[in-house]
Amino acid sequence: MSYKNLIIKENRPNHIAIIMDGNGRWAKKIGNIRLVGHKKGANSVNEVIEACVELEIKYLTLYAFSTENWNRPKTEIEGLMSLLLSTLEKELEKLKKHGVRLKTIGDISKLPQSVELKLKKAIEETATNTGLTLTLALSYSSRWEITEMVKSIVEKYKNTEITENEITSNLIESHLSTKDIPDPELLIRTSGEYRLSNFLLWQIAYTELYFTDTLWPDFKKEDLYKAIADYQKRERRFGKTGEQISNEA
Ligand code: FPP
């Protein structure tokens, strides 16, 4: 039995966000270096993209490199950056064929120039695609994003472009790096860790959280189907009572 058969199409999440964790532990388990885990993790990235395309999910956001990841050993950072570059080179045509639109959130000016340029080119070449929007969070953290948002709103206030009363939740959203992306309905974290690690903290106010012990390199299509099927069993109330929700249905 596949969990895919349990998925109700009309009720699938519009936006799935994933904290891909456990590459290092996966490699250690088989006595290998961490980069081997990251390489295998790139295969899982392909799997979830394919599954989202097949299920016609509109948005997928992957936490690929956090602001805090800059503190990792230099060799690991370099390995991750070259993996990102080679994966982009290898997969770009396939992404285009499937109508995927690539985006990034985070401070990509901090990435090596070769990676930044490749990303910008891929973003440009896929900008008019109308299928899955794939957002890679790179050199991203929520606190960085929120700090940037505050700075730009203060700047506009100082220039009298906005008044205090115009500072609303919508205005804040329009100053986040996710401004064109709806909030996720489902956030998945792999590897048995129960943390949010500075990821999309504003955007996940009403998001359903799904944690699995599976290490990211072992995460396959079937694991994604299982997470979606689990999500569909939940009642999303947005602060209302269960009764109100059933009356609305
Ligand atoms: C977390 O595992 C994973 C990362 C910090 C990097 C994620 C990168 C990939 C999946 C590969 C390439 C990505 C793309 C988009 C092509 P960890 O190293 O923290 O694992 P650990 O907690 O077991 O040490």
Side-chain angles (χ1 to χ4, degrees):
M1 195 277 294
S2 167
Y3 282 97
K4 195 176 184 183
N5 302 331
L6 296 180
I7 297 175
I8 303 155
K9 201 165 182 206
E10 302 69 49
N11 193 22
R12 68 200 184 285
N14 186 43
H15 180 182
I16 301 175
I18 309 183
I19 302 176
M20 311 179 287
D21 195 14
N23 294 351
R25 276 164 285 163
W26 185 91
K28 197 172 174 194
K29 251 182 23 183
I30 57 160
N32 234 314
I33 58 162
R34 300 176 56 81
L35 201 56
V36 174
H38 294 316
K39 283 193 179 147
K40 189 82 177 151
N43 294 342
S44 302
V45 169
N46 284 338
E47 287 253 339
V48 294
I49 295 172
E50 267 181 42
C52 286
V53 168
E54 282 163 20
L55 294 172
E56 296 175 37
I57 304 273
K58 291 304 288 176
Y59 296 88
L60 172 67
T61 301
L62 302 174
Y63 205 6
F65 195 85
S66 71
T67 309
E68 290 74 24
N69 285 153
W70 289 116
N71 298 321
R72 292 201 172 188
K74 195 164 165 267
T75 48
E76 183 173 347
I77 296 175
E78 284 170 357
L80 271 168
M81 292 300 148
S82 74
L83 177 62
L84 190 59
L85 198 62
S86 60
T87 309
L88 272 173
E89 271 163 7
K90 209 168 105 205
E91 303 298 334
L92 184 58
E93 285 315 307
K94 198 164 95 196
L95 294 180
K96 284 187 194 166
K97 203 177 102 199
H98 288 312
V100 175
R101 179 171 67 137
L102 185 72
K103 271 178 167 289
T104 58
I105 50 171
D107 188 359
I108 63 162
S109 70
K110 290 229 159 34
L111 303 177
Q113 211 191 12
S114 55
V115 180
E116 189 191 354
L117 290 178
K118 177 74 62 191
L119 278 167
K120 283 189 171 158
K121 194 164 165 275
I123 291 167
E124 218 179 276
E125 288 177 19
T126 60
T128 56
N129 288 351
T130 55
L132 172 73
T133 296
L134 168 66
T135 305
L136 299 180
L138 289 162
S139 194
Y140 171 88
S141 77
S142 270
R143 289 183 179 178
W144 165 81
E145 176 183 50
I146 289 169
T147 309
E148 292 304 304
M149 172 272 290
V150 172
K151 282 196 235 166
S152 61
I153 291 183
V154 167
E155 189 64 23
K156 286 188 180 162
Y157 180 75
K158 269 191 347 204
N159 296 339
T160 65
E161 285 171 53
I162 49 169
T163 63
E164 190 182 329
N165 286 339
E166 284 174 312
I167 304 178
T168 60
S169 172
N170 283 343
L171 185 90
I172 290 175
E173 259 158 36
S174 69
H175 286 77
L176 295 174
S177 50
T178 49
K179 60 177 178 298
D180 303 317
I181 305 170
D183 291 343
E185 286 85 11
L186 173 62
L187 171 79
I188 299 171
R189 181 171 189 145
T190 59
S191 90
E193 305 286 352
Y194 300 87
R195 284 189 295 277
L196 298 171
S197 299
N198 219 346
F199 188 47
L200 302 177
L201 297 182
W202 171 278
Q203 297 85 345
I204 58 168
Y206 288 102
T207 300
E208 296 294 332
L209 308 179
Y210 178 87
F211 298 98
T212 170
D213 287 340
T214 305
L215 301 174
W216 179 250
D218 290 325
F219 195 91
K220 302 292 162 213
K221 285 185 184 180
E222 197 55 35
D223 299 279
L224 186 77
Y225 302 149
K226 190 176 176 195
I228 297 173
D230 186 275
Y231 157 84
Q232 293 193 328
K233 284 194 303 209
R234 306 183 192 182
E235 180 186 62
R236 306 190 71 215
R237 296 211 296 267
F238 302 99
K240 296 182 181 175
T241 66
E243 239 174 8
Q244 283 174 304
I245 299 294
S246 24
N247 289 342
E248 280 169 15

